[in-house]
Amino acid sequence: ETPFVITNIATSELTKYAANAFLATKVSFINEMANYCERIGGDVHAIARGIGLDKRIGSKFLHAGPGFGGSCFPKDTRSAAHFAREAGEGFEIIEAAIRVNERQRMRMVEKITRAVGGELAGRTIAMLGLSFKPETDDMRDAPSIDVARELQERGATVRAYDPVAMENAARQIPGLLLCKTEYEACENADALVLMTEWNQFRMLDLARIKGLLREPVLVDLRNVYEPAAMRRAGFRYDGVGRS
């Protein structure tokens, strides 16, 4: 009972581009809104819930974080923008979404840097999750690649754990220290960064994590945990777009 839309080849291909570019734009939009929230004390979770209740907008793809990755959104947004330019039609909305996504990854590096006192040289960062989304070992255009490489470039050591993507990540991120468990990754780290929202990371033994870290610092790039609850647990917590 799946509906079919019969059209010509150009329209068919553009329909796929349009779908992925529109969803990627939603991700970039909520990330820009999250950055704005951090400036003025708003809560992007509440904003996403509020606008998601509007059926014209919907609640999907309104999760603030380090930006989109994977095999579809980066490829299709770049391709759509490229072919539009070749045809003499600038696609400014898509190009803006791409720029926002690229900037967002570096904003996450700055967030991590601030969390450890403004200096990464000599610091150890624990990173949980490497794949671009949970339930896959896909590292294509994963935000973790740019974030981890930049942390290393600034002098930090990155200890990482992912349930299935570590073999692929090792090829993408030379020098990454791969750990056997999430808890091993946290040993003697100056901060914990939650990069990919695997379900097992939603139920961490926080008391154990706190004891393993040098400092109780959690940078939650997927807003898995609640800020107030984490502060009550004794963590210096920083999410994305949450005051």
Side-chain angles (χ1 to χ4, degrees), residues 28-68:
S28 287
F29 174 84
I30 202 64
N31 281 335
E32 288 232 288
M33 188 59 69
N35 299 338
Y36 187 28
C37 284
E38 291 181 1
R39 292 282 187 178
I40 65 171
D43 186 339
V44 76
H45 257 196
I47 292 172
R49 285 196 300 270
I51 65 175
L53 292 170
D54 187 330
K55 293 181 180 179
R56 298 169 299 175
I57 297 173
S59 60
K60 302 293 186 182
F61 296 91
L62 290 177
H63 302 288
F68 57 77

mmCIF file of all heavy atoms in Angstrom, residues 28-68:
data_model
loop_
_atom_site.group_PDB
_atom_site.id
_atom_site.type_symbol
_atom_site.label_atom_id
_atom_site.label_comp_id
_atom_site.label_asym_id
_atom_site.label_seq_id
_atom_site.Cartn_x
_atom_site.Cartn_y
_atom_site.Cartn_z
ATOM 1 N N SER A 28 20.598 21.594 11.302
ATOM 2 C CA SER A 28 21.411 22.801 11.418
ATOM 3 C C SER A 28 20.636 23.923 12.090
ATOM 4 O O SER A 28 21.193 24.706 12.873
ATOM 5 C CB SER A 28 21.915 23.244 10.040
ATOM 6 O OG SER A 28 22.927 22.366 9.580
ATOM 7 N N PHE A 29 19.332 24.011 11.803
ATOM 8 C CA PHE A 29 18.510 25.048 12.432
ATOM 9 C C PHE A 29 18.483 24.888 13.945
ATOM 10 O O PHE A 29 18.694 25.842 14.694
ATOM 11 C CB PHE A 29 17.086 24.997 11.877
ATOM 12 C CG PHE A 29 16.150 25.936 12.589
ATOM 13 C CD1 PHE A 29 16.071 27.263 12.215
ATOM 14 C CD2 PHE A 29 15.372 25.496 13.645
ATOM 15 C CE1 PHE A 29 15.221 28.143 12.884
ATOM 16 C CE2 PHE A 29 14.521 26.356 14.319
ATOM 17 C CZ PHE A 29 14.457 27.684 13.937
ATOM 18 N N ILE A 30 18.223 23.661 14.430
ATOM 19 C CA ILE A 30 18.120 23.472 15.878
ATOM 20 C C ILE A 30 19.483 23.641 16.540
ATOM 21 O O ILE A 30 19.568 24.079 17.698
ATOM 22 C CB ILE A 30 17.482 22.104 16.211
ATOM 23 C CG1 ILE A 30 16.887 22.138 17.624
ATOM 24 C CG2 ILE A 30 18.480 20.977 16.057
ATOM 25 C CD1 ILE A 30 15.746 23.106 17.815
ATOM 26 N N ASN A 31 20.569 23.360 15.811
ATOM 27 C CA ASN A 31 21.893 23.598 16.375
ATOM 28 C C ASN A 31 22.189 25.088 16.492
ATOM 29 O O ASN A 31 22.781 25.532 17.486
ATOM 30 C CB ASN A 31 22.965 22.895 15.541
ATOM 31 C CG ASN A 31 23.048 21.413 15.852
ATOM 32 O OD1 ASN A 31 22.678 20.981 16.944
ATOM 33 N ND2 ASN A 31 23.535 20.633 14.907
ATOM 34 N N GLU A 32 21.781 25.875 15.517
ATOM 35 C CA GLU A 32 21.943 27.319 15.642
ATOM 36 C C GLU A 32 21.079 27.857 16.782
ATOM 37 O O GLU A 32 21.497 28.746 17.533
ATOM 38 C CB GLU A 32 21.570 28.010 14.325
ATOM 39 C CG GLU A 32 22.571 27.812 13.213
ATOM 40 C CD GLU A 32 23.002 29.117 12.576
ATOM 41 O OE1 GLU A 32 22.168 29.709 11.859
ATOM 42 O OE2 GLU A 32 24.146 29.546 12.810
ATOM 43 N N MET A 33 19.884 27.309 16.938
ATOM 44 C CA MET A 33 19.032 27.720 18.035
ATOM 45 C C MET A 33 19.672 27.354 19.374
ATOM 46 O O MET A 33 19.597 28.124 20.345
ATOM 47 C CB MET A 33 17.661 27.057 17.900
ATOM 48 C CG MET A 33 16.621 27.558 18.889
ATOM 49 S SD MET A 33 16.307 29.331 18.759
ATOM 50 C CE MET A 33 15.477 29.412 17.151
ATOM 51 N N ALA A 34 20.315 26.177 19.440
ATOM 52 C CA ALA A 34 21.001 25.771 20.663
ATOM 53 C C ALA A 34 22.126 26.743 21.011
ATOM 54 O O ALA A 34 22.304 27.111 22.183
ATOM 55 C CB ALA A 34 21.560 24.358 20.502
ATOM 56 N N ASN A 35 22.877 27.166 20.006
ATOM 57 C CA ASN A 35 23.957 28.111 20.252
ATOM 58 C C ASN A 35 23.406 29.437 20.777
ATOM 59 O O ASN A 35 24.003 30.066 21.664
ATOM 60 C CB ASN A 35 24.749 28.339 18.965
ATOM 61 C CG ASN A 35 25.393 27.059 18.456
ATOM 62 O OD1 ASN A 35 25.606 26.110 19.201
ATOM 63 N ND2 ASN A 35 25.680 27.017 17.163
ATOM 64 N N TYR A 36 22.281 29.849 20.233
ATOM 65 C CA TYR A 36 21.616 31.076 20.695
ATOM 66 C C TYR A 36 21.162 30.908 22.139
ATOM 67 O O TYR A 36 21.316 31.810 22.977
ATOM 68 C CB TYR A 36 20.446 31.373 19.762
ATOM 69 C CG TYR A 36 19.746 32.686 19.981
ATOM 70 C CD1 TYR A 36 20.401 33.787 20.517
ATOM 71 C CD2 TYR A 36 18.410 32.835 19.610
ATOM 72 C CE1 TYR A 36 19.749 34.988 20.696
ATOM 73 C CE2 TYR A 36 17.748 34.026 19.788
ATOM 74 C CZ TYR A 36 18.416 35.109 20.335
ATOM 75 O OH TYR A 36 17.760 36.292 20.513
ATOM 76 N N CYS A 37 20.609 29.725 22.467
ATOM 77 C CA CYS A 37 20.167 29.460 23.834
ATOM 78 C C CYS A 37 21.312 29.597 24.827
ATOM 79 O O CYS A 37 21.136 30.109 25.940
ATOM 80 C CB CYS A 37 19.581 28.049 23.939
ATOM 81 S SG CYS A 37 17.922 27.871 23.262
ATOM 82 N N GLU A 38 22.495 29.136 24.442
ATOM 83 C CA GLU A 38 23.637 29.224 25.340
ATOM 84 C C GLU A 38 24.018 30.667 25.614
ATOM 85 O O GLU A 38 24.545 30.982 26.687
ATOM 86 C CB GLU A 38 24.819 28.448 24.754
ATOM 87 C CG GLU A 38 24.588 26.930 24.745
ATOM 88 C CD GLU A 38 25.761 26.147 24.192
ATOM 89 O OE1 GLU A 38 26.784 26.780 23.825
ATOM 90 O OE2 GLU A 38 25.666 24.904 24.124
ATOM 91 N N ARG A 39 23.748 31.541 24.667
ATOM 92 C CA ARG A 39 24.066 32.956 24.849
ATOM 93 C C ARG A 39 23.106 33.640 25.821
ATOM 94 O O ARG A 39 23.508 34.488 26.614
ATOM 95 C CB ARG A 39 24.006 33.686 23.503
ATOM 96 C CG ARG A 39 25.086 33.294 22.523
ATOM 97 C CD ARG A 39 26.399 33.949 22.874
ATOM 98 N NE ARG A 39 27.403 33.717 21.833
ATOM 99 C CZ ARG A 39 28.638 34.207 21.874
ATOM 100 N NH1 ARG A 39 29.014 34.942 22.906
ATOM 101 N NH2 ARG A 39 29.489 33.942 20.909
ATOM 102 N N ILE A 40 21.824 33.275 25.757
ATOM 103 C CA ILE A 40 20.830 34.046 26.498
ATOM 104 C C ILE A 40 20.124 33.252 27.591
ATOM 105 O O ILE A 40 19.213 33.765 28.242
ATOM 106 C CB ILE A 40 19.777 34.648 25.552
ATOM 107 C CG1 ILE A 40 18.942 33.553 24.878
ATOM 108 C CG2 ILE A 40 20.443 35.532 24.495
ATOM 109 C CD1 ILE A 40 17.753 34.106 24.101
ATOM 110 N N GLY A 41 20.550 31.997 27.819
ATOM 111 C CA GLY A 41 19.984 31.232 28.912
ATOM 112 C C GLY A 41 18.728 30.463 28.586
ATOM 113 O O GLY A 41 17.935 30.155 29.482
ATOM 114 N N GLY A 42 18.513 30.128 27.321
ATOM 115 C CA GLY A 42 17.354 29.336 26.945
ATOM 116 C C GLY A 42 17.633 27.845 27.039
ATOM 117 O O GLY A 42 18.755 27.420 27.323
ATOM 118 N N ASP A 43 16.613 27.048 26.797
ATOM 119 C CA ASP A 43 16.734 25.583 26.839
ATOM 120 C C ASP A 43 16.238 25.030 25.509
ATOM 121 O O ASP A 43 15.038 25.054 25.219
ATOM 122 C CB ASP A 43 15.915 25.020 27.991
ATOM 123 C CG ASP A 43 16.126 23.514 28.180
ATOM 124 O OD1 ASP A 43 16.563 22.843 27.218
ATOM 125 O OD2 ASP A 43 15.839 23.004 29.270
ATOM 126 N N VAL A 44 17.160 24.519 24.703
ATOM 127 C CA VAL A 44 16.795 24.053 23.370
ATOM 128 C C VAL A 44 15.897 22.824 23.424
ATOM 129 O O VAL A 44 15.109 22.591 22.500
ATOM 130 C CB VAL A 44 18.065 23.783 22.529
ATOM 131 C CG1 VAL A 44 18.739 22.481 22.946
ATOM 132 C CG2 VAL A 44 17.748 23.769 21.037
ATOM 133 N N HIS A 45 15.972 22.043 24.511
ATOM 134 C CA HIS A 45 15.065 20.902 24.653
ATOM 135 C C HIS A 45 13.621 21.376 24.675
ATOM 136 O O HIS A 45 12.754 20.804 24.005
ATOM 137 C CB HIS A 45 15.383 20.133 25.941
ATOM 138 C CG HIS A 45 16.135 18.873 25.699
ATOM 139 N ND1 HIS A 45 16.249 17.881 26.643
ATOM 140 C CD2 HIS A 45 16.814 18.424 24.619
ATOM 141 C CE1 HIS A 45 16.961 16.885 26.161
ATOM 142 N NE2 HIS A 45 17.323 17.191 24.943
ATOM 143 N N ALA A 46 13.363 22.398 25.458
ATOM 144 C CA ALA A 46 12.002 22.917 25.560
ATOM 145 C C ALA A 46 11.551 23.537 24.238
ATOM 146 O O ALA A 46 10.395 23.382 23.831
ATOM 147 C CB ALA A 46 11.911 23.944 26.685
ATOM 148 N N ILE A 47 12.464 24.208 23.564
ATOM 149 C CA ILE A 47 12.127 24.798 22.266
ATOM 150 C C ILE A 47 11.783 23.708 21.268
ATOM 151 O O ILE A 47 10.788 23.801 20.527
ATOM 152 C CB ILE A 47 13.288 25.666 21.751
ATOM 153 C CG1 ILE A 47 13.447 26.908 22.630
ATOM 154 C CG2 ILE A 47 13.071 26.064 20.292
ATOM 155 C CD1 ILE A 47 14.679 27.727 22.320
ATOM 156 N N ALA A 48 12.584 22.648 21.227
ATOM 157 C CA ALA A 48 12.322 21.546 20.296
ATOM 158 C C ALA A 48 10.975 20.898 20.591
ATOM 159 O O ALA A 48 10.227 20.551 19.668
ATOM 160 C CB ALA A 48 13.441 20.519 20.371
ATOM 161 N N ARG A 49 10.673 20.710 21.860
ATOM 162 C CA ARG A 49 9.363 20.147 22.210
ATOM 163 C C ARG A 49 8.241 21.073 21.772
ATOM 164 O O ARG A 49 7.218 20.635 21.233
ATOM 165 C CB ARG A 49 9.274 19.882 23.713
ATOM 166 C CG ARG A 49 10.055 18.677 24.182
ATOM 167 C CD ARG A 49 9.623 18.228 25.573
ATOM 168 N NE ARG A 49 9.825 19.270 26.576
ATOM 169 C CZ ARG A 49 10.942 19.426 27.277
ATOM 170 N NH1 ARG A 49 11.966 18.619 27.055
ATOM 171 N NH2 ARG A 49 11.039 20.376 28.175
ATOM 172 N N GLY A 50 8.443 22.368 22.023
ATOM 173 C CA GLY A 50 7.400 23.339 21.691
ATOM 174 C C GLY A 50 7.100 23.406 20.209
ATOM 175 O O GLY A 50 5.950 23.290 19.790
ATOM 176 N N ILE A 51 8.133 23.570 19.398
ATOM 177 C CA ILE A 51 7.878 23.686 17.960
ATOM 178 C C ILE A 51 7.519 22.330 17.367
ATOM 179 O O ILE A 51 6.819 22.249 16.356
ATOM 180 C CB ILE A 51 9.063 24.333 17.218
ATOM 181 C CG1 ILE A 51 10.323 23.460 17.282
ATOM 182 C CG2 ILE A 51 9.345 25.720 17.758
ATOM 183 C CD1 ILE A 51 11.495 24.006 16.464
ATOM 184 N N GLY A 52 7.987 21.242 17.993
ATOM 185 C CA GLY A 52 7.655 19.912 17.495
ATOM 186 C C GLY A 52 6.187 19.574 17.638
ATOM 187 O O GLY A 52 5.664 18.718 16.907
ATOM 188 N N LEU A 53 5.509 20.235 18.556
ATOM 189 C CA LEU A 53 4.071 20.012 18.720
ATOM 190 C C LEU A 53 3.271 20.574 17.553
ATOM 191 O O LEU A 53 2.121 20.174 17.335
ATOM 192 C CB LEU A 53 3.587 20.643 20.029
ATOM 193 C CG LEU A 53 4.096 19.970 21.308
ATOM 194 C CD1 LEU A 53 3.743 20.824 22.519
ATOM 195 C CD2 LEU A 53 3.528 18.566 21.453
ATOM 196 N N ASP A 54 3.859 21.495 16.823
ATOM 197 C CA ASP A 54 3.222 22.035 15.627
ATOM 198 C C ASP A 54 3.345 20.989 14.521
ATOM 199 O O ASP A 54 4.452 20.667 14.076
ATOM 200 C CB ASP A 54 3.920 23.332 15.210
ATOM 201 C CG ASP A 54 3.216 24.058 14.083
ATOM 202 O OD1 ASP A 54 2.568 23.393 13.246
ATOM 203 O OD2 ASP A 54 3.319 25.297 14.030
ATOM 204 N N LYS A 55 2.238 20.445 14.077
ATOM 205 C CA LYS A 55 2.265 19.362 13.096
ATOM 206 C C LYS A 55 2.872 19.788 11.768
ATOM 207 O O LYS A 55 3.309 18.950 10.983
ATOM 208 C CB LYS A 55 0.859 18.805 12.891
ATOM 209 C CG LYS A 55 0.317 18.090 14.124
ATOM 210 C CD LYS A 55 -1.062 17.523 13.888
ATOM 211 C CE LYS A 55 -1.575 16.815 15.139
ATOM 212 N NZ LYS A 55 -2.946 16.265 14.946
ATOM 213 N N ARG A 56 2.885 21.078 11.500
ATOM 214 C CA ARG A 56 3.535 21.548 10.272
ATOM 215 C C ARG A 56 5.051 21.400 10.356
ATOM 216 O O ARG A 56 5.737 21.359 9.330
ATOM 217 C CB ARG A 56 3.183 23.012 10.021
ATOM 218 C CG ARG A 56 1.701 23.275 9.802
ATOM 219 C CD ARG A 56 1.415 24.752 9.819
ATOM 220 N NE ARG A 56 1.777 25.353 11.100
ATOM 221 C CZ ARG A 56 1.719 26.655 11.373
ATOM 222 N NH1 ARG A 56 1.328 27.500 10.423
ATOM 223 N NH2 ARG A 56 2.050 27.112 12.564
ATOM 224 N N ILE A 57 5.597 21.317 11.564
ATOM 225 C CA ILE A 57 7.043 21.200 11.766
ATOM 226 C C ILE A 57 7.414 19.775 12.134
ATOM 227 O O ILE A 57 8.278 19.166 11.511
ATOM 228 C CB ILE A 57 7.510 22.182 12.860
ATOM 229 C CG1 ILE A 57 7.246 23.627 12.415
ATOM 230 C CG2 ILE A 57 8.986 21.971 13.182
ATOM 231 C CD1 ILE A 57 7.510 24.665 13.481
ATOM 232 N N GLY A 58 6.740 19.216 13.154
ATOM 233 C CA GLY A 58 7.032 17.851 13.588
ATOM 234 C C GLY A 58 8.253 17.795 14.498
ATOM 235 O O GLY A 58 9.094 18.698 14.497
ATOM 236 N N SER A 59 8.352 16.728 15.269
ATOM 237 C CA SER A 59 9.389 16.623 16.294
ATOM 238 C C SER A 59 10.668 15.927 15.829
ATOM 239 O O SER A 59 11.659 15.924 16.560
ATOM 240 C CB SER A 59 8.833 15.868 17.505
ATOM 241 O OG SER A 59 8.424 14.556 17.126
ATOM 242 N N LYS A 60 10.678 15.355 14.647
ATOM 243 C CA LYS A 60 11.847 14.616 14.183
ATOM 244 C C LYS A 60 12.969 15.562 13.742
ATOM 245 O O LYS A 60 12.727 16.644 13.226
ATOM 246 C CB LYS A 60 11.479 13.695 13.013
ATOM 247 C CG LYS A 60 10.381 12.676 13.323
ATOM 248 C CD LYS A 60 10.841 11.654 14.339
ATOM 249 C CE LYS A 60 9.794 10.562 14.526
ATOM 250 N NZ LYS A 60 10.214 9.577 15.547
ATOM 251 N N PHE A 61 14.204 15.119 13.955
ATOM 252 C CA PHE A 61 15.404 15.839 13.522
ATOM 253 C C PHE A 61 15.528 17.213 14.174
ATOM 254 O O PHE A 61 16.024 18.160 13.566
ATOM 255 C CB PHE A 61 15.462 15.949 11.992
ATOM 256 C CG PHE A 61 15.593 14.616 11.323
ATOM 257 C CD1 PHE A 61 14.465 13.903 10.934
ATOM 258 C CD2 PHE A 61 16.838 14.046 11.115
ATOM 259 C CE1 PHE A 61 14.572 12.650 10.352
ATOM 260 C CE2 PHE A 61 16.955 12.791 10.532
ATOM 261 C CZ PHE A 61 15.820 12.085 10.150
ATOM 262 N N LEU A 62 15.078 17.299 15.416
ATOM 263 C CA LEU A 62 15.217 18.531 16.189
ATOM 264 C C LEU A 62 16.027 18.261 17.457
ATOM 265 O O LEU A 62 15.707 18.760 18.532
ATOM 266 C CB LEU A 62 13.841 19.113 16.542
ATOM 267 C CG LEU A 62 13.041 19.707 15.389
ATOM 268 C CD1 LEU A 62 11.676 20.185 15.868
ATOM 269 C CD2 LEU A 62 13.794 20.869 14.717
ATOM 270 N N HIS A 63 17.080 17.460 17.321
ATOM 271 C CA HIS A 63 17.931 17.129 18.456
ATOM 272 C C HIS A 63 19.266 17.850 18.296
ATOM 273 O O HIS A 63 20.052 17.530 17.399
ATOM 274 C CB HIS A 63 18.130 15.621 18.549
ATOM 275 C CG HIS A 63 16.846 14.856 18.681
ATOM 276 N ND1 HIS A 63 16.103 14.870 19.837
ATOM 277 C CD2 HIS A 63 16.165 14.084 17.806
ATOM 278 C CE1 HIS A 63 15.018 14.135 19.672
ATOM 279 N NE2 HIS A 63 15.031 13.639 18.446
ATOM 280 N N ALA A 64 19.515 18.812 19.166
ATOM 281 C CA ALA A 64 20.764 19.571 19.093
ATOM 282 C C ALA A 64 21.949 18.679 19.421
ATOM 283 O O ALA A 64 21.844 17.740 20.202
ATOM 284 C CB ALA A 64 20.706 20.753 20.057
ATOM 285 N N GLY A 65 23.090 18.976 18.813
ATOM 286 C CA GLY A 65 24.274 18.171 19.049
ATOM 287 C C GLY A 65 25.456 18.649 18.241
ATOM 288 O O GLY A 65 25.531 19.827 17.877
ATOM 289 N N PRO A 66 26.373 17.736 17.912
ATOM 290 C CA PRO A 66 27.585 18.120 17.195
ATOM 291 C C PRO A 66 27.424 18.220 15.682
ATOM 292 O O PRO A 66 28.399 18.437 14.969
ATOM 293 C CB PRO A 66 28.567 17.003 17.556
ATOM 294 C CG PRO A 66 27.692 15.807 17.749
ATOM 295 C CD PRO A 66 26.417 16.328 18.355
ATOM 296 N N GLY A 67 26.209 18.044 15.184
ATOM 297 C CA GLY A 67 25.975 18.153 13.748
ATOM 298 C C GLY A 67 25.693 16.815 13.096
ATOM 299 O O GLY A 67 25.861 15.764 13.703
ATOM 300 N N PHE A 68 25.233 16.871 11.848
ATOM 301 C CA PHE A 68 24.881 15.636 11.144
ATOM 302 C C PHE A 68 26.104 15.025 10.474
ATOM 303 O O PHE A 68 27.087 15.695 10.156
ATOM 304 C CB PHE A 68 23.766 15.867 10.125
ATOM 305 C CG PHE A 68 24.044 16.922 9.076
ATOM 306 C CD1 PHE A 68 24.873 16.662 7.998
ATOM 307 C CD2 PHE A 68 23.442 18.171 9.139
ATOM 308 C CE1 PHE A 68 25.121 17.619 7.021
ATOM 309 C CE2 PHE A 68 23.676 19.135 8.162
ATOM 310 C CZ PHE A 68 24.510 18.864 7.101
#
